[in-house]
């Protein structure tokens, strides 16, 4: 039974003595000193205030000051009621007139206490408790990496471009890549989107990266390699690079072992240059190397050297496995095994294409799938000179997992989309593909993912002639051979899907102390930003392990995780006033200039455009504090 | 045209205008303090907050766009209370010790010394035209009851032309915005950011980037930033004459507004809505006017005598002599033996006349202007 419970909206699903925050107050345990906790909460809020709007800047400061006095036992005129009236008035002023949600939401907790239990605020000497606080926002909450989005957007508005970039790089070591190809869950959560266009968060991140023209974007002075214990990272993809970056920043010597000849993993070999130019990745990798990290190419951990050797003979104290999901599952349709020419996976096709090779020939290509890989395949095929490029997808455009912008661009460039078709049979002559038969589908009941699953319409078959079929229907993890002898008998370290069994918070692989992992190899194919986040989190816990501390999820991580599942912007909140500032114009290469080569399609913005876009941000910060 | 209602009055506005802009055109006053229209800076002080029907909180009129059918109130009791609250807090945070308010020991030795200099009448360089003072008077803040907060205030007096007295700074951010967005010198870093990191931050200047243009002076709403030359000289509106003129320094032709008292320039500012400078001035245009009062300044033409000394002459005499010499030279050596260089401090029209004189009367193309480089 709660002592006070005024929380409005979704509750934070976490076992705790007390919660204070944007939704109100929940006190579950009488041992919590409400006066001390609200003091800590308002102190935190005053520290988060950006100092711009006067009511919030001075109001929160004065509230915190008065609460601190009460906690010392000093009521003004020896009468706490005067103080409470003063606090209530100030809180109302701040909430009604503050510029952003720090001022508009944080005094709610104080007002709720004043309304429900003013006696708890009587002046007295308090003993200070232990509290964990978290500052988040809808966009930050939606981002797997919890990048502090409103802060760097504010930096752009105030033309503090270097500060903005370093704010991004605190959490995300690949701002240029993420700024171009992220799936941007943040933009879907943006409150501006309720009543207009969301802030172009991804594009602004790219702007910050492009704006920085210095050869080495890392400015912070770190003592490279000051620490003794070495860490090996398997795979120089996003998760591996991110882990190496964050470990190097803490002065641990890191060696990355990469099977391929270049760094970047799927970002390098899975994303074509017209979306992500090679120079961007190169600059980001140089940044990791500048911190002292070594990268060894053409080393296949698992066959050239085993993890066991790394740990026992080569002197590495810990290994982080980030081998990704580099294989393609089969399409499971008739005649798949008989085709030697003209039938390949999207991953293989893109892999060769990013190396400058064109491994398929003809004029007509059919791509099976509806994700971003499928979009990359069709757009690459157009640039390879295919004139008839078709997509086959078993649901409709609404259910397509690919980025809406990618679908739009693919259509512009001349791709034909065929929906509600599932491939059943490949036609071939002498081992060469000649066509494909598809079963027509219709949408049935919603499945576990919430999408309506396709059901075949009996007897309706659709045939398509083509020279090449590319299947882009997913990716497969192949991490087992990397663990090799370590697993002993059975599948220690692997879960039931044969993915790496790594702790989602710490990255620690079950049943090993010094083995960590993250990214696609642990989760199955996920987003780039999720891989970066996994690498960053694991780096913190690897450092904990090397320093002899306990490896377990921190309070803030648990809190962040608990928040991820709830909507932190209330539906009943009044939508922001219509925004008449035009959203940022996105410049792209004209369609008729695109298809001759792999030049980048999306172009950057100038300062004025970015600053204007940044000024649209509502700064929907939310502050949460729990007692432990 | 779209329409909205302010204080019960239907007014029209163009799409894209802010509430303040629309209200101004309709003759409705909404107070502002931090707003700097030229740089898009605003949304800080919240003095301009208005009530908009359907919103659960006040919206800043300076940065909220007007919308069709909006219903706005600008002077409700709640808004007046908010403005009073904000003004009171500002006064308590600093040392705003103008005539309304005597704070014991608030004047720094610098202020006392400045007051004792000749012609100095006021402790605050902005007394009489301070935007904060105007609002405090308008909203009748009971200033005597305000207990000043404790605090140390920096005085940056090293600059030869500008004094930065942070006891009068209200942290509106106008100077930073003027420096970064209008002049784009990026010498004054913005003070905004998490208070936990930037609590005691003041708009101190990075003098490596500073071009001493004084734009920050012009936009400061209070007496925090002031021109040393004008410190304590009367700045009361009714004692000053405003004279608009063209800057004589180069060929750009910036529009200046001179504040003149008893025939003496007290301050020079840019004219906000005039081409080509739109309010901006450079260091010369803003601060370089002392020469007009120089004792060495020539007031009549001088003609050099045989023995090398000068004799003062009338304009007729001098021009007559110049004309004779030019005519003689041209007759003797041809038109291309003479050349003219028009002074860069002459205005465009004068330079035009100068080239006309050389091309059509003297018949030579030897004419230039030193502002050309």
């Amino acid at each position: 039974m709660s002592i006070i419970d005024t929380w409005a909206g979704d509750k934070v699903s976490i076992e705790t003595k007390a919660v204070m925050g944007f939704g109100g107050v929940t006190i579950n345990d009488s041992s919590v000193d409400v006066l001390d906790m609200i003091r800590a909460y308002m102190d935190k809020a005053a520290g988060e205030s950006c100092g711009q709007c006067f009511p919030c800047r001075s109001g929160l400061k004065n509230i915190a000051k008065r609460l601190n006095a009460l906690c010392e036992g000093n009521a003004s005129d020896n009468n706490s009621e005067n103080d409470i009236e003063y606090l209530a008035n100030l809180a109302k002023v701040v909430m009604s007139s503050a510029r952003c949600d720090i001022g508009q939401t944080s005094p709610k907790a104080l007002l709720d206490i004043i309304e429900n239990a003013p006696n708890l605020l009587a002046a007295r000497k308090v003993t200070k408790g232990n509290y964990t606080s978290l500052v988040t926002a809808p966009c930050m909450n939606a981002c797997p990496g919890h990048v502090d989005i409103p802060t760097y957007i504010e930096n752009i508005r105030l033309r503090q471009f270097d500060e903005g970039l370093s704010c991004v790089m605190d959490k995300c070591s690949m701002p240029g890549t993420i700024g171009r190809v992220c799936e941007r869950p943040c933009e879907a959560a943006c409150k501006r989107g309720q009543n207009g266009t969301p802030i172009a968060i991804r594009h602004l991140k790219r702007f910050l990266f492009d704006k920085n023209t210095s050869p080495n974007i890392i400015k912070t002075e770190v003592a490279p390699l000051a620490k003794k214990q070495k860490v090996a990272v398997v795979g120089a993809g996003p998760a591996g690079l991110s882990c190496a970056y964050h470990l190097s920043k803490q002065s641990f010597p890191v060696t990355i072992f990469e099977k391929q000849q270049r760094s970047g993993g799927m970002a390098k070999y899975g994303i074509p240059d017209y979306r992500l130019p090679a120079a961007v990745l190169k600059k980001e990798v140089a940044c990791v190397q500048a911190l002292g990290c070594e990268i060894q190419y053409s080393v296949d951990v698992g066959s050239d050297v085993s993890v066991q050797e790394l740990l026992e003979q080569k002197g590495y104290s810990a290994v982080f496995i980030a081998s990704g999901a580099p294989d393609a599952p089969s399409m499971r349709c008739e005649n798949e095994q008989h085709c030697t020419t003209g039938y390949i996976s999207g991953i293989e096709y893109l892999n060769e294409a990013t190396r400058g090779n064109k491994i398929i020939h003809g004029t007509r290509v059919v791509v099976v799938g509806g994700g971003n890989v499928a979009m990359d395949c069709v757009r690459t095929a157009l640039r390879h000179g295919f004139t008839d490029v078709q997509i086959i997808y078993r649901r409709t455009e609404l259910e397509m997992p690919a980025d809406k912008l990618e679908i739009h661009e693919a259509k512009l460039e001349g791709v034909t989309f065929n929906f509600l078709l599932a491939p059943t049979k490949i036609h071939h002559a002498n081992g060469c593909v000649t066509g494909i038969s598809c079963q027509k589908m219709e949408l049935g009941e919603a499945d576990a993912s919430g999408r309506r699953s396709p059901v075949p319409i009996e007897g309706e078959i659709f045939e398509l002639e083509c020279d090449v079929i590319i299947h882009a229907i997913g990716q497969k993890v192949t991490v087992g051979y990397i663990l090799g002898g370590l697993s002993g008998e059975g599948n220690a370290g692997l879960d039931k899907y044969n993915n790496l069994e790594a702790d989602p918070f710490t990255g620690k692989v079950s049943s090993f102390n010094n083995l960590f992992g993250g990214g696609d190899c642990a989760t199955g194919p996920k987003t780039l930003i999720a891989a970066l986040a996994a690498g960053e989190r694991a780096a913190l816990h690897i450092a904990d392990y090397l320093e002899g501390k306990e490896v377990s999820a921190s309070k803030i991580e648990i809190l962040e995780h608990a928040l991820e599942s709830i909507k932190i912007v209330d539906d009943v909140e009044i939508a922001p006033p219509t925004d008449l500032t035009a959203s940022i114009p996105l410049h792209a290469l004209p369609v008729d200039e695109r298809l001759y080569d792999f030049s980048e399609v999306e172009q950057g913005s100038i300062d004025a455009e970015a600053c204007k876009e940044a000024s649209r941000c509502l700064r929907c910060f939310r502050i949460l504090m729990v007692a432990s | 045209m779209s329409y909205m209602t302010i204080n019960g009055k239907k007014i029209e506005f163009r799409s894209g205008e802010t509430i303040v802009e629309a209200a101004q055109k309709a003759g409705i006053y909404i107070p502002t303090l931090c707003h700097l229209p030229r740089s898009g800076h605003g949304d800080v002080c919240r003095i301009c907050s208005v009530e908009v029907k359907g919103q659960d909180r006040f919206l800043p009129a300076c940065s909220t766009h007007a919308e069709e059918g909006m219903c706005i109130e600008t002077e409700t009791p709640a808004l007046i209370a908010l403005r009073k609250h904000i003004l009171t807090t500002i006064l308590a945070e600093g040392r705003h010790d103008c005539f309304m308010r005597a704070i014991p020991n608030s004047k720094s030795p610098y202020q006392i010394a400045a007051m004792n200099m000749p012609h100095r009448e006021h402790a605050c360089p902005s007394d009489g035209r301070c935007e904060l003072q105007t609002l405090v008077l308008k909203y009748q803040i009971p200033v005597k009851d305000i207990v000043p907060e404790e605090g140390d205030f920096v005085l940056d007096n090293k600059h030869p032309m500008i004094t930065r007295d942070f006891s009068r700074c209200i942290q509106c951010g106008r100077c930073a915005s003027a420096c970064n967005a209008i002049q784009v010198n990026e010498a004054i870093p913005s003070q905004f950011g998490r208070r936990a990191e930037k609590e005691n931050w003041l708009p101190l200047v990075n003098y490596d980037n500073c071009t001493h243009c004084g734009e920050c002076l012009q936009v400061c709403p209070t007496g925090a930033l002031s021109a040393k030359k004008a410190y304590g000289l009367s700045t009361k509106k009714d004692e000053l004459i405003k004279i608009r003129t063209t800057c004589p320094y180069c060929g750009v032709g910036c529009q200046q507004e001179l504040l003149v008292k008893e025939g003496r320039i007290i301050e020079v500012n840019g004219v906000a809505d005039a081409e080509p400078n739109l309010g901006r001035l450079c260091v010369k245009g803003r601060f370089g006017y002392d020469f007009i009062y120089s004792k060495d300044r020539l007031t009549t033409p001088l003609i050099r005598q045989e023995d090398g000394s000068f004799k003062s002459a009338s304009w007729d005499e001098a021009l007559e002599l110049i004309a004779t010499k030019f005519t003689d030279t041209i007759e003797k050596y041809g038109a291309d033996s003479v050349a003219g260089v028009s002074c860069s401090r002459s205005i465009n029209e004068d330079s035009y006349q100068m080239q006309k004189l050389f091309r059509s009367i003297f018949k030579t193309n030897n004419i230039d202007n030193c502002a050309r480089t």
Side-chain angles (χ1 to χ4, degrees), chain B residues 106-124:
Chain B
S106 76
K107 288 187 181 53
S108 65
Y110 163 72
Q111 287 175 9
I112 295 165
M115 276 176 78
N116 291 333
M117 282 157 71
H119 309 298
R120 288 350 190 229
E121 296 160 18
H122 307 279
C124 179

Side-chain angles (χ1 to χ4, degrees), chain A residues 369-573:
Chain A
N372 281 328
V373 173
M375 294 305 123
D376 286 343
C377 288
V378 282
R379 294 179 70 189
T380 301
L382 285 170
R383 285 162 176 78
H384 274 157
F386 284 86
T387 46
D388 179 7
V389 180
Q390 310 233 11
I391 279 239
I392 288 179
Y393 181 54
R394 58 199 186 115
R395 305 186 210 218
T396 70
E397 187 173 344
L398 264 183
E399 288 86 17
M400 271 178 100
D403 195 309
K404 295 284 167 275
L405 195 65
E406 289 294 305
I407 300 173
H408 172 76
E409 297 290 333
K411 280 184 180 165
L412 270 187
E413 289 172 9
V415 174
T416 316
F417 283 73
N418 302 293
F419 297 111
L420 293 167
L421 288 179
T424 52
K425 184 176 176 186
I426 296 169
H427 304 286
H428 61 97
N430 307 324
C432 292
V433 168
T434 58
I436 187 166
S437 289
C438 304
Q439 166 73 52
K440 285 200 178 174
M441 314 290 271
E442 61 185 351
L443 288 182
E445 296 294 309
D447 65 5
S449 71
R451 296 184 298 178
R452 294 173 68 189
S453 45
V455 232
I457 310 174
E458 276 307 312
E460 298 234 17
I461 301 286
F462 177 83
E463 283 187 24
L464 210 58
E465 284 186 5
C466 62
D467 307 317
V468 178
I469 298 169
I470 300 174
H471 59 100
I473 50 166
Q475 281 165 256
K476 234 169 60 180
V477 176
T478 49
V479 72
Y481 83 101
I482 293 178
L483 288 179
L486 265 189
S487 313
E489 70 268 30
N491 275 341
L494 297 182
D495 65 10
K496 58 181 175 180
Y497 304 108
N498 279 336
N499 294 345
L500 193 68
E501 195 169 29
D503 185 273
F505 290 110
T506 62
K508 196 172 91 63
V509 178
S510 58
S511 62
F512 299 95
N513 278 332
N514 44 10
L515 203 54
F516 293 77
D520 285 359
C521 70
T523 56
K526 276 252 174 82
T527 59
L528 214 161
I529 182 72
L532 288 180
E536 187 226 342
R537 277 197 303 267
L540 298 178
H541 292 288
I542 292 173
D544 280 351
Y545 164 72
L546 296 177
E547 283 160 2
K549 294 179 203 154
E550 193 198 344
V551 178
S552 62
S554 71
K555 284 175 187 165
I556 291 199
E557 281 172 332
I558 293 169
L559 205 52
E560 265 176 352
H561 180 71
L563 272 180
E564 275 167 22
S565 57
I566 68 167
K567 258 198 289 186
I568 64 170
V569 176
D570 209 338
D571 284 336
V572 296
E573 257 180 73

Side-chain angles (χ1 to χ4, degrees), chain B residues 177-372:
Chain B
S177 183
C179 190
N180 300 329
I182 295 181
Q183 291 276 0
V184 202
N185 289 329
E186 305 193 338
I188 309 183
S190 167
Q191 78 274 37
F192 303 133
R194 295 174 65 240
R195 293 293 92 183
E197 287 151 22
K198 283 192 163 175
E199 196 190 347
N200 292 317
W201 190 94
L202 293 165
L204 292 172
V205 180
N206 170 4
Y207 283 115
D208 290 342
N209 287 357
C210 178
T211 62
H212 318 286
C213 67
E215 187 78 22
C216 48
L217 277 184
Q218 184 175 330
V219 299
C220 182
T222 67
L225 304 184
S226 57
K228 279 199 172 147
K229 290 197 273 204
Y231 195 104
L233 298 176
S234 174
T235 48
K236 282 194 182 160
K237 279 179 196 154
D238 49 2
E239 292 175 8
L240 293 171
I241 310 169
K242 282 186 185 173
I243 297 174
R244 173 153 168 190
T245 186
T246 303
C247 177
Y249 269 106
C250 77
V252 172
C254 291
Q255 294 302 295
Q256 296 176 315
E257 186 179 77
L258 312 180
L259 296 183
V260 178
K261 184 187 175 190
E262 292 159 10
R264 233 185 135 79
I265 295 176
I266 290 189
E267 212 174 285
V268 182
N269 286 318
V271 180
D273 47 4
E275 296 285 0
N277 51 322
L278 298 171
R280 289 175 287 240
L281 285 179
C282 73
V283 57
K284 293 195 288 182
R286 193 181 309 274
F287 295 115
Y289 55 82
D290 292 337
F291 65 90
I292 5 182
Y293 307 114
S294 168
K295 277 185 287 192
D296 303 332
R297 194 178 163 189
L298 299 185
T299 46
T300 60
L302 299 174
I303 296 175
R304 193 190 293 274
Q305 303 299 293
E306 295 280 312
D307 61 357
S309 67
F310 288 103
K311 184 194 98 186
S312 86
S314 71
W315 278 106
D316 283 345
E317 226 176 314
L319 290 173
E320 187 65 45
L321 177 68
I322 293 165
T324 326
K325 293 276 181 192
F326 267 109
T327 324
D328 287 353
T329 313
I330 292 170
E331 263 172 23
K332 207 164 166 188
Y333 302 107
D336 281 345
S337 63
V338 297
V341 179
S342 174
C343 174
S344 67
R345 290 179 37 189
S346 51
I347 57 173
N348 202 29
E349 289 75 4
D350 285 350
S351 288
Y352 177 81
Q353 295 293 356
M354 181 81 169
Q355 67 86 28
K356 201 77 184 163
L357 175 75
F358 273 74
R359 292 212 166 101
S360 22
I361 312 293
F362 293 176
K363 312 277 187 219
T364 175
N365 281 329
N366 295 342
I367 174 74
D368 209 340
N369 181 303
C370 64
R372 194 171 62 94

Side-chain angles (χ1 to χ4, degrees), chain A residues 192 196-200 579 581-584 612-618:
Chain A
R192 271 279 184 228
T197 324
I199 311 289
D579 173 32
T581 309
S583 54
I584 194 162
K612 196 171 165 197
E613 178 70 7
S615 72
R616 296 173 58 231
C617 178
L618 293 164

Side-chain angles (χ1 to χ4, degrees), chain B residues 35-75:
Chain B
H35 187 38
L36 192 59
R38 281 184 292 146
S39 70
H41 178 69
D43 209 0
V44 172
C45 71
R46 300 266 146 176
I47 290 280
C48 68
S49 292
V50 291
E51 272 183 32
V52 179
K53 207 173 167 188
Q55 290 290 326
D56 61 346
R57 52 187 71 117
F58 305 135
L59 295 181
C62 71
S63 57
T64 307
H65 290 283
E67 271 182 65
E68 178 68 51
M70 247 184 186
C71 196
I72 295 168
E73 288 291 333
T74 68
E75 294 284 327

Side-chain angles (χ1 to χ4, degrees), chain A residues 57 74 187 348 437:
Chain A
R57 183 190 78 196
N74 304 326
E187 290 184 26
E348 192 186 345
S437 289

